[in-house]
């Protein structure tokens, strides 16, 4: 299990990896339980490549958004993966962000107060291939209705030098209006 969250019905939703679908490769496993931990449903997502989930959040319509990555063994690269399931664990849509020459992966997902998804993760600059922070903001209504995610906003925030010095200061600011569901996670 990579992430677990409490759901609006007082149950729990968790994501991680399994080998159920493809046998040798990893696939995404999502399990929803009631408040006592009794499984209500499970969903497995995968194909011939390696998929992994790192974060889940319950959407405003009681569906679930899962982020992680898909690794392409033939190319040696990976793409950021976003999956949406309805409240009963049925697949609604998926979205991949990346290309054949870079490495992107989602590490954390939250909902913003303006009905958007914000994904934090890692990405690479195609020229240097150095890893940077990746922040993406996606529109809620557009993604759901069109089953794609146009209007994507993302930013690679480079650190210098890369890798960080032994001691690095990271600072940010938020308005009090947007801090209710804010979480900062730093990966080492």
């Amino acid at each position: 299990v990579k992430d677990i969250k409490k759901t609006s019905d007082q149950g729990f939703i968790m994501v991680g990896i399994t080998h159920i679908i493809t046998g040798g490769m990893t696939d995404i496993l999502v399990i929803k339980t009631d408040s006592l931990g009794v499984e209500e449903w499970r969903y497995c997502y995968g194909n011939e490549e390696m998929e992994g989930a790192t974060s889940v959040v319950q959407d405003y319509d009681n569906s679930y958004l899962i982020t992680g990555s898909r690794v392409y063994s033939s190319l040696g690269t990976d793409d950021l993966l976003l999956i949406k399931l309805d409240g009963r664990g049925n697949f609604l849509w998926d979205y991949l962000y990346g290309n054949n020459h870079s490495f992107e992966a989602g590490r954390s997902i939250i909902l913003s107060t303006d009905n958007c998804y914000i994904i934090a993760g890692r990405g690479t600059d195609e020229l240097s291939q150095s890893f940077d922070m990746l922040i993406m903001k996606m529109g809620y209504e557009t993604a759901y209705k069109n089953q794609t995610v146009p209007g994507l906003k993302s930013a690679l925030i480079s650190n210098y030098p890369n890798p960080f010095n032994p001691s690095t200061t990271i600072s940010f600011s938020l308005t009090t209006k947007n801090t209710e569901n804010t979480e900062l996670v730093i990966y080492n």
Side-chain angles (χ1 to χ4, degrees), residues 1-3 14-18 27-31 51-54:
V1 173
K2 296 287 186 175
D3 192 20
M14 58 196 93
V15 296
I17 60 172
T18 185
D27 303 303
I28 292 173
L29 178 62
V30 184
I31 298 174
E51 288 86 10
T54 53

Side-chain angles (χ1 to χ4, degrees), residues 106-174:
R107 296 288 188 235
S108 182
I109 186 168
I110 62 169
L111 298 177
S112 62
T113 55
D114 60 349
N115 289 342
C116 291
Y117 320 129
I118 300 174
I119 299 173
R122 65 159 169 78
T124 59
D125 175 336
E126 287 188 49
L127 299 175
S128 69
Q129 291 294 303
S130 64
F131 286 100
D132 297 318
M133 291 182 281
L134 173 67
I135 299 172
M136 301 171 63
K137 184 175 184 179
M138 302 178 183
Y140 169 78
E141 290 295 328
T142 307
Y144 180 74
K145 289 180 180 171
N146 295 331
Q147 297 187 3
T148 61
V149 190
L152 178 68
K153 295 179 183 177
S154 66
L156 279 175
I157 302 173
S158 298
N159 52 340
Y160 180 82
N162 190 357
F164 283 139
N165 287 321
S167 175
T168 300
T169 302
I170 299 172
S171 63
F172 65 96
S173 63
L174 299 169

Side-chain angles (χ1 to χ4, degrees), residues 57-114:
V57 67
Q58 188 171 20
D59 204 342
Y60 298 109
D61 62 1
N62 291 320
S63 62
Y64 299 97
L65 292 154
I66 297 117
T67 193
S69 64
R70 172 178 288 159
V71 177
Y72 297 96
S73 54
S74 61
L75 299 172
T77 63
D78 57 358
D79 287 342
L80 183 143
L81 176 62
L82 178 64
I83 302 168
K84 187 164 185 172
L85 305 178
D86 71 15
R88 292 181 296 256
N90 299 307
F91 177 83
L92 294 174
W93 51 259
D94 61 3
Y95 176 77
L96 289 166
Y97 175 79
N99 64 50
N100 293 343
H101 308 290
S102 60
F103 302 85
E104 291 81 24
R107 296 288 188 235
S108 182
I109 186 168
I110 62 169
L111 298 177
S112 62
T113 55
D114 60 349

